[in-house]
Amino acid sequence: MLMDSVLDNNSKYNPIERYASLGHKVFGAPQKYIQAPHLVQYIGKYLSLLNAQHIVLVRDPLLNIFTQVRDSILQHRAAKRVDEYTFDGECSWQQVKRIVDAIHSKSHSSGTPDCLVAVGGGKTLDLGKAIANQLRISLAIVPTLASTDAPCSALSVMYTPEGDFQEYSFYPLNPTYVFVDSSIIAKAPNRFLASGIGDAMATFYEADVCFHNPKATTCQGGRPTLSAYSLAELCKNILFKHGLEALKDVKKEQLSESVDLVIEANTLLSGLGFESGGLAAAHAIHNGLTIHHATHHKMHGEKVAFGVISQLCMEGKMEEAYKVAQFFYHCYLPVTLTDLNLKESDREGLENIAKRACQQDETIHNHPFPVTPDKVYDSMLEAHRLGMKVVHQTSRD
Ligand SMILES: [Zn+2]
């Protein structure tokens, strides 16, 4: 019963179906984005502005920063009651239902919560958004990684319990708060920051397609604004300039200026840039890649990185594709099919990926030319060969 209502409520809001035909320029953003080292202890101070009575925390298991978040909420009297729910597994409708049910059953005795704070990686944050939207309450996002641009957006990427991409779930509004504690993020293994760089690098190349194609629409159901396009471009420039330095510094757990800038690029610039700038082939190819089980242990941004190289090959921008692939190679991001655990000889597997990437509602159709599975298949092979060339021609530390 509740499962049906979860699905119904979420399938009701599709900004693209509802608004895209109007052709309005739309720019969305969280109400407040705050980034600082040791920010976690001040979260309650900011949340106290909401005058909440009852806050629910949704968190990754094995994370101990959530105790600091809870202590900060209580210390600053941001709420009288704080309940915690642990998320483990995929960001799926089944998990949403499980936690919404648990909150409802507890609410009989304690009243409905007025704010949800999601603490953790991209999937926990996306799950928190889905739950807060179900409950129609304020949402605060506390990312512990800079591995995706999920924190700022008004959408979740939903997966099946098996980990295949299922759909985007859109919400009418962006999170109320995004709290980025840079000292926590700087301590995470650098593969996470690298993955965030792969995801964030896609932002400009996809926004560029949408900005120049008058028929393209963004995830906000509108046309891109100049602001989103400029933020996406700034994001790319920051990554090229500071990305490698930041990865080296994070390896030493050092919160340098480069790390701070790349955290902002991966989280804020990329988040605003992708959502209001528009997506194209890179993310559609990522979505295709998720259906091949060989790629399941690869992170979102790692698959998107290969999607970026494939997209640039598809557009015939070979010089740019080479430049991006070389940068990704230095970041230890995938540049070949082999890096993604795939084989060039697996024709059927690659054709299925290409077919999935071209599904009717996919962002790949934001390109100004018709995109077919054959074209995507060829582009992935071209990207793989270009990646092989980069591997042979580049020396890496
Ligand atoms: Zn992404």
Side-chain angles (χ1 to χ4, degrees):
M1 280 288 284
L2 186 57
M3 185 64 185
D4 290 342
S5 74
V6 166
L7 295 171
D8 284 352
N9 279 349
N10 284 286
S11 56
K12 271 180 201 156
Y13 184 68
N14 182 331
I16 296 159
E17 276 173 14
R18 196 186 283 206
Y19 298 112
S21 62
L22 301 173
H24 297 166
K25 286 187 188 178
V26 183
F27 183 84
Q31 289 181 44
K32 259 189 214 295
Y33 174 93
I34 303 150
Q35 177 178 321
H38 314 295
L39 177 64
V40 77
Q41 56 190 291
Y42 300 101
I43 286 177
K45 196 175 170 79
Y46 285 106
L47 282 178
S48 63
L49 295 172
L50 295 176
N51 284 325
Q53 295 293 312
H54 179 183
I55 289 180
V56 287
L57 276 176
V58 174
R59 63 174 182 101
D60 276 351
L62 308 173
L63 262 185
N64 42 26
I65 77 135
F66 90 94
T67 52
Q68 296 170 53
V69 176
R70 187 193 53 207
D71 292 350
S72 173
I73 291 170
L74 295 172
Q75 188 199 334
H76 293 281
R77 296 194 177 88
K80 288 194 179 109
R81 183 189 169 110
V82 182
D83 289 336
E84 293 155 23
Y85 299 88
T86 304
F87 156 67
D88 197 4
E90 285 300 336
C91 176
S92 63
W93 290 120
Q94 284 75 3
Q95 288 280 345
V96 173
K97 175 182 161 27
R98 182 179 68 79
I99 298 180
V100 168
D101 279 355
I103 292 172
H104 275 146
S105 68
K106 259 198 182 179
S107 295
H108 291 307
S109 54
S110 57
T112 321
D114 20 36
C115 175
L116 183 146
V117 181
V119 187
K123 289 187 180 182
T124 310
L125 306 181
D126 275 1
L127 188 88
K129 289 182 204 172
I131 296 168
N133 181 62
Q134 280 289 301
L135 301 172
R136 297 281 188 261
I137 57 177
S138 301
L139 171 66
I141 294 282
V142 187
T144 50
L145 303 166
S147 59
T148 71
D149 50 19
C152 294
S153 72
L155 65 89
S156 302
V157 185
M158 302 307 291
Y159 293 86
T160 65
E162 293 73 40
D164 295 348
F165 170 79
Q166 188 177 345
E167 61 184 337
Y168 292 112
S169 169
F170 297 98
Y171 312 115
L173 292 170
N174 295 65
T176 314
Y177 282 108
V178 176
F179 296 109
V180 180
D181 187 325
S182 45
S183 44
I184 289 170
I185 289 169
K187 284 192 193 120
N190 75 345
R191 183 180 170 196
F192 292 105
L193 193 72
S195 172
I197 289 174
D199 196 23
M201 188 57 99
T203 308
F204 171 73
Y205 296 107
E206 295 184 278
D208 195 38
V209 171
C210 297
F211 193 75
H212 292 105
N213 178 12
K215 290 192 176 141
T217 51
T218 71
C219 305
Q220 293 269 1
R223 288 286 303 142
T225 53
L226 184 60
S227 314
Y229 183 69
S230 311
L231 294 176
E233 192 170 30
L234 176 63
C235 179
K236 175 193 69 155
N237 294 341
I238 294 280
L239 296 178
F240 274 131
K241 195 167 170 197
H242 295 275
L244 297 179
E245 192 68 39
L247 286 172
K248 276 187 207 145
D249 294 341
V250 159
K251 228 176 181 173
K252 295 178 267 172
E253 292 192 12
Q254 227 171 60
L255 178 55
S256 62
E257 193 198 347
S258 290
V259 175
D260 196 54
L261 291 171
V262 170
I263 290 172
E264 186 183 331
N266 285 7
T267 315
L268 183 62
L269 295 174
S270 177
L272 303 182
F274 101 79
E275 194 177 24
S276 297
L279 295 175
H283 270 79
I285 291 170
H286 159 276
N287 297 342
L289 287 167
T290 66
I291 67 162
H292 200 302
H293 285 241
T295 72
H296 273 193
H297 70 288
K298 294 289 171 190
M299 298 177 66
H300 173 80
E302 293 173 334
K303 286 177 261 206
V304 171
F306 187 74
V308 178
I309 308 170
S310 305
Q311 175 184 318
L312 289 169
C313 288
M314 192 171 84
E315 295 176 289
K317 296 179 177 167
M318 300 312 291
E319 226 172 276
E320 197 68 14
Y322 191 91
K323 180 183 161 191
V324 171
Q326 206 169 38
F327 174 76
F328 283 166
Y329 183 63
H330 283 295
C331 295
Y332 288 80
L333 282 165
V335 296
T336 64
L337 290 171
T338 327
D339 290 341
L340 288 170
N341 262 350
L342 296 169
K343 289 191 183 81
E344 200 180 344
S345 56
D346 177 14
R347 196 181 169 100
E348 195 191 338
L350 297 178
E351 277 177 352
N352 285 338
I353 292 168
K355 234 184 265 166
R356 176 63 187 82
C358 293
Q359 212 170 269
Q360 201 191 350
D361 58 350
E362 263 301 348
T363 54
I364 207 162
H365 303 295
N366 276 333
H367 284 269
F369 45 78
V371 183
T372 59
D374 280 351
K375 206 178 200 121
V376 175
Y377 176 85
D378 291 344
S379 309
M380 287 196 299
L381 284 188
E382 210 173 351
H384 169 70
R385 286 171 199 145
L386 181 120
M388 296 289 279
K389 209 162 107 188
V390 166
V391 171
H392 289 127
Q393 291 175 350
T394 315
S395 60
R396 184 165 72 174
D397 315 333

mmCIF file of all heavy atoms in Angstrom, residues 351-377:
data_model
loop_
_atom_site.group_PDB
_atom_site.id
_atom_site.type_symbol
_atom_site.label_atom_id
_atom_site.label_comp_id
_atom_site.label_asym_id
_atom_site.label_seq_id
_atom_site.Cartn_x
_atom_site.Cartn_y
_atom_site.Cartn_z
ATOM 1 N N GLU A 351 26.440 -3.711 -26.578
ATOM 2 C CA GLU A 351 25.232 -3.290 -27.305
ATOM 3 C C GLU A 351 24.078 -3.025 -26.336
ATOM 4 O O GLU A 351 23.299 -2.093 -26.526
ATOM 5 C CB GLU A 351 24.824 -4.370 -28.321
ATOM 6 C CG GLU A 351 25.614 -4.243 -29.612
ATOM 7 C CD GLU A 351 25.310 -5.341 -30.627
ATOM 8 O OE1 GLU A 351 24.590 -6.313 -30.282
ATOM 9 O OE2 GLU A 351 25.806 -5.235 -31.753
ATOM 10 N N ASN A 352 23.989 -3.842 -25.292
ATOM 11 C CA ASN A 352 22.926 -3.624 -24.294
ATOM 12 C C ASN A 352 23.127 -2.298 -23.557
ATOM 13 O O ASN A 352 22.166 -1.579 -23.277
ATOM 14 C CB ASN A 352 22.898 -4.772 -23.278
ATOM 15 C CG ASN A 352 22.292 -6.020 -23.892
ATOM 16 O OD1 ASN A 352 21.546 -5.942 -24.876
ATOM 17 N ND2 ASN A 352 22.637 -7.182 -23.354
ATOM 18 N N ILE A 353 24.386 -1.997 -23.250
ATOM 19 C CA ILE A 353 24.703 -0.715 -22.589
ATOM 20 C C ILE A 353 24.266 0.438 -23.493
ATOM 21 O O ILE A 353 23.598 1.387 -23.056
ATOM 22 C CB ILE A 353 26.224 -0.621 -22.286
ATOM 23 C CG1 ILE A 353 26.613 -1.635 -21.213
ATOM 24 C CG2 ILE A 353 26.618 0.800 -21.886
ATOM 25 C CD1 ILE A 353 28.117 -1.833 -21.032
ATOM 26 N N ALA A 354 24.631 0.324 -24.784
ATOM 27 C CA ALA A 354 24.316 1.387 -25.749
ATOM 28 C C ALA A 354 22.803 1.551 -25.896
ATOM 29 O O ALA A 354 22.286 2.671 -25.974
ATOM 30 C CB ALA A 354 24.959 1.066 -27.092
ATOM 31 N N LYS A 355 22.109 0.428 -25.920
ATOM 32 C CA LYS A 355 20.638 0.467 -26.043
ATOM 33 C C LYS A 355 20.026 1.172 -24.836
ATOM 34 O O LYS A 355 19.140 2.008 -24.959
ATOM 35 C CB LYS A 355 20.104 -0.977 -26.111
ATOM 36 C CG LYS A 355 19.216 -1.225 -27.330
ATOM 37 C CD LYS A 355 18.642 -2.618 -27.315
ATOM 38 C CE LYS A 355 19.493 -3.572 -28.130
ATOM 39 N NZ LYS A 355 19.183 -4.984 -27.910
ATOM 40 N N ARG A 356 20.519 0.832 -23.656
ATOM 41 C CA ARG A 356 19.992 1.445 -22.422
ATOM 42 C C ARG A 356 20.278 2.944 -22.396
ATOM 43 O O ARG A 356 19.444 3.741 -21.952
ATOM 44 C CB ARG A 356 20.606 0.754 -21.198
ATOM 45 C CG ARG A 356 20.203 1.363 -19.865
ATOM 46 C CD ARG A 356 18.695 1.245 -19.642
ATOM 47 N NE ARG A 356 18.251 1.970 -18.457
ATOM 48 C CZ ARG A 356 18.014 3.279 -18.422
ATOM 49 N NH1 ARG A 356 18.183 4.034 -19.484
ATOM 50 N NH2 ARG A 356 17.601 3.843 -17.299
ATOM 51 N N ALA A 357 21.452 3.320 -22.903
ATOM 52 C CA ALA A 357 21.827 4.742 -22.921
ATOM 53 C C ALA A 357 20.910 5.549 -23.848
ATOM 54 O O ALA A 357 20.779 6.763 -23.692
ATOM 55 C CB ALA A 357 23.281 4.897 -23.356
ATOM 56 N N CYS A 358 20.288 4.862 -24.807
ATOM 57 C CA CYS A 358 19.447 5.568 -25.797
ATOM 58 C C CYS A 358 17.956 5.458 -25.486
ATOM 59 O O CYS A 358 17.127 5.802 -26.336
ATOM 60 C CB CYS A 358 19.706 5.011 -27.194
ATOM 61 S SG CYS A 358 21.348 5.360 -27.766
ATOM 62 N N GLN A 359 17.604 4.961 -24.306
ATOM 63 C CA GLN A 359 16.193 4.863 -23.931
ATOM 64 C C GLN A 359 15.501 6.197 -24.220
ATOM 65 O O GLN A 359 16.119 7.257 -24.124
ATOM 66 C CB GLN A 359 16.127 4.569 -22.431
ATOM 67 C CG GLN A 359 14.946 3.724 -22.025
ATOM 68 C CD GLN A 359 15.101 3.300 -20.581
ATOM 69 O OE1 GLN A 359 15.660 2.254 -20.293
ATOM 70 N NE2 GLN A 359 14.629 4.127 -19.668
ATOM 71 N N GLN A 360 14.225 6.127 -24.525
ATOM 72 C CA GLN A 360 13.486 7.299 -25.015
ATOM 73 C C GLN A 360 13.621 8.558 -24.137
ATOM 74 O O GLN A 360 13.754 9.662 -24.638
ATOM 75 C CB GLN A 360 12.021 6.912 -25.136
ATOM 76 C CG GLN A 360 11.261 7.829 -26.071
ATOM 77 C CD GLN A 360 9.770 7.590 -25.959
ATOM 78 O OE1 GLN A 360 9.322 6.620 -25.330
ATOM 79 N NE2 GLN A 360 8.984 8.449 -26.568
ATOM 80 N N ASP A 361 13.564 8.367 -22.805
ATOM 81 C CA ASP A 361 13.577 9.545 -21.926
ATOM 82 C C ASP A 361 14.992 9.950 -21.506
ATOM 83 O O ASP A 361 15.171 10.761 -20.601
ATOM 84 C CB ASP A 361 12.729 9.257 -20.678
ATOM 85 C CG ASP A 361 13.234 8.025 -19.919
ATOM 86 O OD1 ASP A 361 14.097 7.296 -20.457
ATOM 87 O OD2 ASP A 361 12.779 7.792 -18.781
ATOM 88 N N GLU A 362 16.004 9.407 -22.152
ATOM 89 C CA GLU A 362 17.372 9.677 -21.722
ATOM 90 C C GLU A 362 17.887 11.053 -22.160
ATOM 91 O O GLU A 362 17.496 11.580 -23.188
ATOM 92 C CB GLU A 362 18.326 8.582 -22.253
ATOM 93 C CG GLU A 362 18.621 7.496 -21.241
ATOM 94 C CD GLU A 362 19.251 8.000 -19.944
ATOM 95 O OE1 GLU A 362 19.690 9.166 -19.873
ATOM 96 O OE2 GLU A 362 19.295 7.209 -18.982
ATOM 97 N N THR A 363 18.815 11.572 -21.353
ATOM 98 C CA THR A 363 19.389 12.892 -21.635
ATOM 99 C C THR A 363 20.292 12.874 -22.876
ATOM 100 O O THR A 363 20.693 13.932 -23.357
ATOM 101 C CB THR A 363 20.210 13.367 -20.420
ATOM 102 O OG1 THR A 363 21.173 12.353 -20.089
ATOM 103 C CG2 THR A 363 19.318 13.606 -19.222
ATOM 104 N N ILE A 364 20.586 11.694 -23.373
ATOM 105 C CA ILE A 364 21.430 11.595 -24.582
ATOM 106 C C ILE A 364 20.742 12.275 -25.766
ATOM 107 O O ILE A 364 21.390 12.737 -26.702
ATOM 108 C CB ILE A 364 21.755 10.101 -24.881
ATOM 109 C CG1 ILE A 364 23.088 9.985 -25.633
ATOM 110 C CG2 ILE A 364 20.631 9.394 -25.640
ATOM 111 C CD1 ILE A 364 23.703 8.587 -25.580
ATOM 112 N N HIS A 365 19.397 12.366 -25.694
ATOM 113 C CA HIS A 365 18.661 12.979 -26.802
ATOM 114 C C HIS A 365 18.685 14.516 -26.735
ATOM 115 O O HIS A 365 18.024 15.176 -27.520
ATOM 116 C CB HIS A 365 17.232 12.419 -26.863
ATOM 117 C CG HIS A 365 17.248 10.920 -26.997
ATOM 118 N ND1 HIS A 365 17.768 10.289 -28.113
ATOM 119 C CD2 HIS A 365 16.868 9.927 -26.150
ATOM 120 C CE1 HIS A 365 17.696 8.960 -27.932
ATOM 121 N NE2 HIS A 365 17.158 8.724 -26.752
ATOM 122 N N ASN A 366 19.457 15.069 -25.779
ATOM 123 C CA ASN A 366 19.679 16.512 -25.768
ATOM 124 C C ASN A 366 20.703 16.934 -26.824
ATOM 125 O O ASN A 366 20.882 18.121 -27.077
ATOM 126 C CB ASN A 366 20.166 16.980 -24.384
ATOM 127 C CG ASN A 366 19.001 17.213 -23.427
ATOM 128 O OD1 ASN A 366 17.884 17.511 -23.869
ATOM 129 N ND2 ASN A 366 19.243 17.073 -22.140
ATOM 130 N N HIS A 367 21.378 15.960 -27.424
ATOM 131 C CA HIS A 367 22.331 16.298 -28.505
ATOM 132 C C HIS A 367 21.544 16.772 -29.729
ATOM 133 O O HIS A 367 20.421 16.310 -29.960
ATOM 134 C CB HIS A 367 23.212 15.082 -28.838
ATOM 135 C CG HIS A 367 24.272 14.848 -27.802
ATOM 136 N ND1 HIS A 367 25.525 15.394 -27.891
ATOM 137 C CD2 HIS A 367 24.247 14.158 -26.633
ATOM 138 C CE1 HIS A 367 26.228 15.044 -26.824
ATOM 139 N NE2 HIS A 367 25.479 14.299 -26.045
ATOM 140 N N PRO A 368 22.145 17.647 -30.516
ATOM 141 C CA PRO A 368 21.390 18.213 -31.653
ATOM 142 C C PRO A 368 21.251 17.253 -32.840
ATOM 143 O O PRO A 368 20.579 17.586 -33.811
ATOM 144 C CB PRO A 368 22.224 19.442 -32.041
ATOM 145 C CG PRO A 368 23.599 19.151 -31.553
ATOM 146 C CD PRO A 368 23.465 18.269 -30.360
ATOM 147 N N PHE A 369 21.874 16.081 -32.759
ATOM 148 C CA PHE A 369 21.776 15.114 -33.861
ATOM 149 C C PHE A 369 21.107 13.837 -33.337
ATOM 150 O O PHE A 369 21.111 13.587 -32.123
ATOM 151 C CB PHE A 369 23.177 14.804 -34.414
ATOM 152 C CG PHE A 369 24.218 14.554 -33.349
ATOM 153 C CD1 PHE A 369 24.291 13.328 -32.672
ATOM 154 C CD2 PHE A 369 25.112 15.565 -32.979
ATOM 155 C CE1 PHE A 369 25.239 13.104 -31.686
ATOM 156 C CE2 PHE A 369 26.062 15.344 -31.966
ATOM 157 C CZ PHE A 369 26.118 14.108 -31.339
ATOM 158 N N PRO A 370 20.525 13.010 -34.231
ATOM 159 C CA PRO A 370 19.904 11.774 -33.736
ATOM 160 C C PRO A 370 20.966 10.829 -33.169
ATOM 161 O O PRO A 370 22.020 10.656 -33.785
ATOM 162 C CB PRO A 370 19.250 11.163 -34.988
ATOM 163 C CG PRO A 370 19.471 12.109 -36.108
ATOM 164 C CD PRO A 370 20.436 13.166 -35.686
ATOM 165 N N VAL A 371 20.690 10.292 -31.984
ATOM 166 C CA VAL A 371 21.637 9.352 -31.364
ATOM 167 C C VAL A 371 21.016 7.962 -31.347
ATOM 168 O O VAL A 371 19.918 7.767 -30.833
ATOM 169 C CB VAL A 371 21.992 9.787 -29.919
ATOM 170 C CG1 VAL A 371 23.021 8.840 -29.326
ATOM 171 C CG2 VAL A 371 22.534 11.212 -29.901
ATOM 172 N N THR A 372 21.708 7.011 -31.941
ATOM 173 C CA THR A 372 21.221 5.618 -32.004
ATOM 174 C C THR A 372 22.149 4.724 -31.184
ATOM 175 O O THR A 372 23.309 5.089 -30.936
ATOM 176 C CB THR A 372 21.247 5.117 -33.464
ATOM 177 O OG1 THR A 372 22.615 5.218 -33.928
ATOM 178 C CG2 THR A 372 20.331 5.932 -34.367
ATOM 179 N N PRO A 373 21.671 3.538 -30.790
ATOM 180 C CA PRO A 373 22.555 2.610 -30.074
ATOM 181 C C PRO A 373 23.833 2.294 -30.867
ATOM 182 O O PRO A 373 24.910 2.193 -30.275
ATOM 183 C CB PRO A 373 21.687 1.359 -29.899
ATOM 184 C CG PRO A 373 20.284 1.879 -29.873
ATOM 185 C CD PRO A 373 20.283 3.034 -30.833
ATOM 186 N N ASP A 374 23.740 2.202 -32.180
ATOM 187 C CA ASP A 374 24.942 1.932 -32.992
ATOM 188 C C ASP A 374 25.978 3.036 -32.823
ATOM 189 O O ASP A 374 27.175 2.779 -32.702
ATOM 190 C CB ASP A 374 24.578 1.869 -34.490
ATOM 191 C CG ASP A 374 23.979 0.504 -34.837
ATOM 192 O OD1 ASP A 374 24.020 -0.387 -33.964
ATOM 193 O OD2 ASP A 374 23.451 0.364 -35.967
ATOM 194 N N LYS A 375 25.488 4.256 -32.804
ATOM 195 C CA LYS A 375 26.386 5.413 -32.656
ATOM 196 C C LYS A 375 27.075 5.373 -31.283
ATOM 197 O O LYS A 375 28.269 5.653 -31.168
ATOM 198 C CB LYS A 375 25.548 6.697 -32.785
ATOM 199 C CG LYS A 375 26.331 7.875 -33.263
ATOM 200 C CD LYS A 375 25.412 9.082 -33.415
ATOM 201 C CE LYS A 375 26.053 10.063 -34.326
ATOM 202 N NZ LYS A 375 25.381 10.437 -35.494
ATOM 203 N N VAL A 376 26.302 5.023 -30.245
ATOM 204 C CA VAL A 376 26.864 4.976 -28.888
ATOM 205 C C VAL A 376 27.870 3.836 -28.786
ATOM 206 O O VAL A 376 28.964 3.988 -28.221
ATOM 207 C CB VAL A 376 25.736 4.812 -27.833
ATOM 208 C CG1 VAL A 376 26.314 4.643 -26.439
ATOM 209 C CG2 VAL A 376 24.808 6.014 -27.875
ATOM 210 N N TYR A 377 27.518 2.705 -29.365
ATOM 211 C CA TYR A 377 28.426 1.542 -29.372
ATOM 212 C C TYR A 377 29.765 1.934 -30.016
ATOM 213 O O TYR A 377 30.833 1.691 -29.459
ATOM 214 C CB TYR A 377 27.736 0.400 -30.137
ATOM 215 C CG TYR A 377 28.589 -0.830 -30.317
ATOM 216 C CD1 TYR A 377 28.666 -1.805 -29.324
ATOM 217 C CD2 TYR A 377 29.313 -1.026 -31.503
ATOM 218 C CE1 TYR A 377 29.446 -2.939 -29.498
ATOM 219 C CE2 TYR A 377 30.097 -2.156 -31.681
ATOM 220 C CZ TYR A 377 30.163 -3.105 -30.674
ATOM 221 O OH TYR A 377 30.937 -4.224 -30.847
#
